Amino acid sequence: MSKVNPAVTGAWLEDHDPGDRQFLSIGDLTLESGEVLPDVVIAYQSWGKLNSAGDNAILVNHALTGWADVNGWWPQMVGSGLPFDSDKYFVVCPNVIGGCQGSTGPSSLAPDGKRWGSRFPVLTIRDMVAAELAFTKQIGVMKYQLSVGPSLGGMRSLEWAIDYPELIGAICTIGSSAVATGDQIGAASIQLRAIKSDPNFNNGDYYEQSTGPIEGMGIARRIAHLTYRTESEMDVRFGRELQGDETGRYAVESYLDHHAQKLAKRFDANTYISLTEAMNSHDVGRDRGGVAAALSKIKVPIHVISIDTDRLFPPRLQQEIKELAPDMTELHTIASPFGHDGFLIEVESVGQIIRNTLNLQNISN
């Protein structure tokens, strides 16, 4: 196994320090496509202790570029006395399959000793949940008090509620939806084209090269970041100001460059493609008689958090869940100038809703 140049991928690889990651082998996983993904490993982190009944657990589902270290991407949410209180709960966050921070994904080694690259199979949201189910059984969790997540994580929480209600006390989706929209797919398709058009992409088999499709992924991230924030924030914060350096860039360009560079240090272009395509395929109504039929079957409490300025997952998408599952859904709206990223920034508001949700679960139990 040759070493991979950091200019190729920001993925966590086998020769890297595992940090606080724990690893669990869940064996072979049969995907929705019928293809079998062999020898699947899930990287995860956990906080607190699982009780003897195995039912004091909380499942945190990360977003597209998140990972298992919740405190790394969602500060002030997990720990003693925090919304996900590790004194009371066993809090666990697995890195999704297809990810690049320790779980089996395109940058992982396939059984032949080479990195999966272009050979990595197409995934769906339901495939991710199937892997999380196998993981859940192996770590001894009998029931989650709450399955919670933003964006991609909210999609997975909805699938948990539909397919495995006996394992879930309640779910909380944040800035998410029951189905991917044309607008979301359109914006995502441009991002994927940027990556695939990078001359260093090599059809996804770039791990042996000296340089990977970092520039293409950087362009994708810049596009995505604009959908995560708001027009008003960009104008008030940057306007037409120049950065004031030798590049002659506008300040907003420098800001977007910074986010692209940050992502390159911890993410992989193939994972960006794999997870984005899975999000594009998201439709809880697929093979279930449509969205309305699927949502009407949910029998666990659904707490939906909507961000009033979210232009990637606009409030109408959370309102749809409320309208189609009215008896089970509680809709909470957060006011924020930060758009979709409000779930990361408005931690006090989000945290209070999480606390209230868990308190209701304790009362119902």
Side-chain angles (χ1 to χ4, degrees):
M1 180 182 66
S2 59
K3 286 204 170 186
V4 176
N5 192 318
V8 171
T9 179
W12 182 90
L13 302 175
E14 301 78 12
D15 58 342
H16 295 171
D17 181 355
D20 292 327
R21 292 174 181 84
Q22 302 174 70
F23 300 91
L24 187 69
S25 297
I26 63 169
D28 297 351
L29 183 70
T30 302
L31 306 176
E32 275 201 278
S33 64
E35 191 168 349
V36 175
L37 184 60
D39 304 323
V40 175
V41 172
I42 300 293
Y44 69 102
Q45 290 192 38
S46 64
W47 299 261
K49 292 183 179 180
L50 187 64
N51 64 15
S52 58
D55 63 359
N56 69 325
I58 294 172
L59 177 64
V60 179
N61 296 299
H62 66 74
L64 172 66
T65 61
W67 62 103
D69 182 11
V70 179
N71 287 319
W73 57 268
W74 210 5
Q76 298 303 306
M77 289 296 290
V78 181
S80 177
L82 294 176
F84 300 123
D85 192 342
S86 55
D87 294 336
K88 298 179 181 178
Y89 301 103
F90 176 66
V91 185
V92 62
C93 181
N95 184 215
V96 291
I97 57 168
C100 60
Q101 286 298 320
S103 290
T104 298
S107 58
S108 304
L109 295 172
D112 62 2
K114 297 180 180 178
R115 304 205 179 273
W116 277 101
S118 63
R119 302 174 297 162
F120 194 75
V122 173
L123 299 177
T124 66
I125 303 297
R126 296 178 199 178
D127 292 330
M128 297 173 184
V129 172
E132 290 165 359
L133 176 66
F135 164 82
T136 296
K137 291 179 176 178
Q138 285 206 34
I139 62 174
V141 169
M142 302 304 293
K143 185 173 185 178
Y144 290 110
Q145 293 293 311
L146 183 68
S147 173
V148 54
S151 199
L152 168 62
M155 295 175 175
R156 301 197 325 268
S157 290
L158 275 173
E159 288 289 344
W160 267 97
I162 294 169
D163 275 350
Y164 310 110
E166 71 281 4
L167 301 179
I168 297 291
I171 67 168
C172 181
T173 74
I174 308 168
S176 193
S177 66
V179 62
T181 68
D183 183 67
Q184 292 166 350
I185 294 169
S189 70
I190 302 169
Q191 296 167 42
L192 299 188
R193 179 164 293 195
I195 296 173
K196 294 177 180 180
S197 297
D198 189 309
N200 294 313
F201 180 61
N202 194 30
N203 196 38
D205 296 315
Y206 49 78
Y207 297 107
E208 302 301 318
Q209 300 173 177
S210 60
T211 305
I214 300 299
E215 180 62 23
M217 187 172 69
I219 294 170
R221 181 62 167 182
R222 291 172 177 89
I223 297 168
H225 196 76
L226 286 176
T227 72
Y228 299 157
R229 308 304 274 251
T230 65
E231 180 275 332
S232 59
E233 183 201 1
M234 293 298 100
D235 192 48
V236 170
R237 187 172 175 183
F238 301 108
R240 297 181 49 78
E241 292 295 319
L242 295 173
Q243 182 62 15
D245 59 19
E246 69 283 355
T247 66
R249 294 176 296 175
Y250 287 101
V252 70
E253 290 181 90
S254 175
Y255 169 74
L256 295 174
D257 290 347
H258 169 70
H259 281 279
Q261 291 157 10
K262 275 180 61 178
L263 189 70
K265 294 177 181 177
R266 62 172 182 82
F267 217 66
D268 178 68
N270 277 329
T271 281
Y272 199 112
I273 292 170
S274 181
L275 302 192
T276 299
E277 288 181 339
M279 291 181 72
N280 284 350
S281 75
H282 174 58
D283 179 0
V284 298
R286 178 169 48 82
D287 300 327
R288 292 175 177 145
V291 173
L295 291 178
S296 70
K297 294 174 184 175
I298 295 180
K299 302 304 180 187
V300 300
I302 309 168
H303 292 267
V304 176
I305 299 179
S306 180
I307 303 158
D308 65 348
T309 55
D310 192 338
R311 57 181 174 180
L312 183 59
F313 287 85
R316 69 174 182 83
L317 299 179
Q318 295 88 53
Q319 181 64 36
E320 178 183 55
I321 299 172
K322 170 67 175 175
E323 290 174 354
L324 295 179
D327 295 336
M328 303 308 300
T329 305
E330 184 75 27
L331 179 61
H332 314 266
T333 301
I334 291 175
S336 173
F338 301 110
H340 187 63
D341 272 358
F343 78 84
L344 294 170
I345 300 168
E346 311 291 354
V347 289
E348 185 173 337
S349 298
V350 174
Q352 190 56 55
I353 294 170
I354 297 294
R355 289 181 194 273
N356 294 342
T357 298
L358 288 168
N359 286 338
L360 287 172
Q361 279 304 108
N362 291 332
I363 292 170
S364 66
N365 289 341

